[in-house]
Amino acid sequence: MTSLLFYSIMSSKPLRVGVIGPAGFGGSYLTVELLNRGHTVIGISRNPEKVGKHPRYIPRPVDVDQVSIEELSEVFDGLDVLVSEFGPHTAGPGALLYMPLLESVRKILLAYKLRPASYFIFVGGAGSLHVPGTNISCVDHPDFFLAYRRAISTSLAHIAYMEERLGIMGTSLRRYREARLAESSGITTEEDRTVIADYEKQIRAKDNASDFIKAGRTTYMFFEDRKNFDWSFVSPSALYRPGKRTGKYEISVDEMVLLGEQQEGKDVFEGRLTGISVSDMAIAIANEIEQKKLVWKHWSAWGDISEDMPAPAYVFLDAVEGGSR
């Protein structure tokens, strides 16, 4: 199911929105989006002041992993909406992420139940979306990781973003891109062929991001079929990255939208993955905060990512009138 939505600013009364992870990738863009719409944002993380200062931005420092459920619930006091952009993947490449993420999400949910707001929006990952026409999660499909890595290697914006956040993982992706470009141009060297073979062998054996993506898929089980509180589970489309703010996006529920038809001899994902800029994803989430059209839904948003230029992985409150670093 897809529908086209357009950006509209401030269509509801001002809200007090808690954002877990306000200084991270998606969280920083969402924080700026909400402030630009006139809402108050309560930033919840270890260092929420990193995003800057603003009269309607209230930092509440807390380490989700270290505090008790009761202590965390106090941080959620007085909110109209809570959005979790929590992501322990910032621990860096090679970190063990599957169980830590599940334990953290469990704690956040239990704390939320002690002091519930009117709406809880959880931002997960594309891996929990279903392969179209099946009940198989994308992350469980044997072809997903290779197609995903090949797709992001074509994007300078995505590579620059990974280099900024994850260092060596981004650097190796850039070298893989260069080798594949040489291959497609017919000027490949033995070194290029080795780079491609080694990189893809590693992906097939175990993608470095697989634990986090699989954990994101499993967190959806905390929400699925529950109707004792209002929630929405957001899975940005696979090629989620910095990019142009268009103000337009499309919505799908449960399924990952793939472009075109599967080509003979190629896997279901090859050349068909969709994406969205972090700016447009922030618009989609902010619209849902205000309009509550996707309660109890597992949904995704995708849009135009044709302009592929490196852009900031984070934004700060000096992007908002009245804000400052």
Side-chain angles (χ1 to χ4, degrees):
M1 183 177 79
T2 63
S3 61
L4 186 64
L5 299 179
F6 294 89
Y7 170 55
S8 62
I9 192 163
M10 201 51 212
S11 60
S12 68
K13 67 177 183 178
L15 300 169
R16 289 173 60 86
V17 183
V19 176
I20 302 175
F25 178 55
S28 65
Y29 278 84
L30 178 61
T31 294
V32 168
E33 180 68 30
L34 291 169
L35 290 172
N36 277 329
R37 294 180 182 220
H39 301 299
T40 295
V41 176
I42 293 83
I44 301 166
S45 68
R46 287 176 297 176
N47 300 294
E49 69 284 349
K50 286 172 58 178
V51 77
K53 296 180 180 180
H54 188 276
R56 283 183 281 104
Y57 179 70
I58 303 169
R60 290 185 181 174
V62 65
D63 187 334
V64 171
D65 294 326
Q66 298 302 318
V67 298
S68 68
I69 292 168
E70 291 75 15
E71 289 169 330
L72 184 58
S73 74
E74 294 174 4
V75 180
F76 298 161
D77 189 42
L79 303 179
D80 295 311
V81 179
L82 177 63
V83 181
S84 175
E85 292 265 10
F86 183 80
H89 53 299
T90 51
L96 298 175
L97 301 173
Y98 188 86
M99 284 305 298
L101 178 58
L102 296 186
E103 288 297 311
S104 296
V105 174
R106 173 182 174 273
K107 180 185 288 187
I108 289 168
L109 273 170
L110 290 174
Y112 177 81
K113 288 174 66 177
L114 294 178
R115 281 181 172 81
S118 63
Y119 201 18
F120 180 45
I121 298 179
F122 186 88
V123 183
S128 58
L129 297 168
H130 290 163
V131 180
T134 76
N135 289 318
I136 301 172
S137 295
C138 289
V139 72
D140 295 320
H141 193 287
D143 297 330
F144 177 74
F145 285 113
L146 182 57
Y148 169 70
R149 289 284 175 170
R150 284 176 172 171
I152 65 176
S153 76
T154 67
S155 167
L156 290 173
H158 210 123
I159 291 172
Y161 156 66
M162 288 188 67
E163 286 176 332
E164 181 175 350
R165 297 190 70 201
L166 299 174
I168 188 63
M169 283 184 68
T171 303
S172 60
L173 183 65
R174 184 180 291 274
R175 181 65 188 94
Y176 174 63
R177 167 192 168 84
E178 293 168 351
R180 291 191 70 212
L181 287 174
E183 182 182 54
S184 64
S185 301
I187 57 172
T188 183
T189 65
E190 187 61 35
E191 181 184 354
D192 291 328
R193 286 189 285 270
T194 299
V195 167
I196 294 170
D198 289 349
Y199 193 88
E200 295 192 353
K201 180 180 179 181
Q202 180 183 5
I203 294 168
R204 289 187 177 96
K206 180 176 172 60
D207 188 276
N208 287 336
S210 64
D211 277 352
F212 176 67
I213 297 174
K214 288 180 179 179
R217 173 258 283 144
T218 304
T219 58
Y220 177 56
M221 295 178 68
F222 288 130
F223 299 86
E224 189 174 21
D225 296 329
R226 294 188 64 173
K227 293 190 176 181
N228 59 338
F229 68 99
D230 286 353
W231 57 266
S232 189
F233 192 101
V234 189
S235 292
S237 48
L239 308 184
Y240 177 43
R241 64 194 188 208
K244 182 179 179 180
R245 178 193 181 92
T246 71
K248 296 186 290 185
Y249 58 90
E250 293 191 53
I251 291 291
S252 66
V253 175
D254 288 330
E255 289 189 349
M256 177 179 286
V257 173
L258 299 176
L259 300 174
E261 298 294 329
Q262 183 177 355
Q263 297 182 28
E264 186 175 351
K266 292 191 176 182
D267 70 61
V268 67
F269 302 106
E270 189 70 28
R272 302 178 65 201
L273 292 173
T274 51
I276 190 168
S277 72
V278 64
S279 298
D280 285 343
M281 193 71 240
I283 292 170
I285 296 171
N287 282 345
E288 180 57 24
I289 288 170
E290 295 175 348
Q291 299 165 16
K292 292 189 70 172
K293 292 184 176 181
L294 294 162
V295 179
W296 301 333
K297 299 292 186 182
H298 175 210
W299 59 280
S300 182
W302 62 282
D304 181 5
I305 55 170
S306 59
E307 183 178 292
D308 183 48
M309 296 295 292
Y314 312 94
V315 289
F316 299 90
L317 298 191
D318 54 5
V320 187
E321 184 178 354
S324 68
R325 294 284 293 277

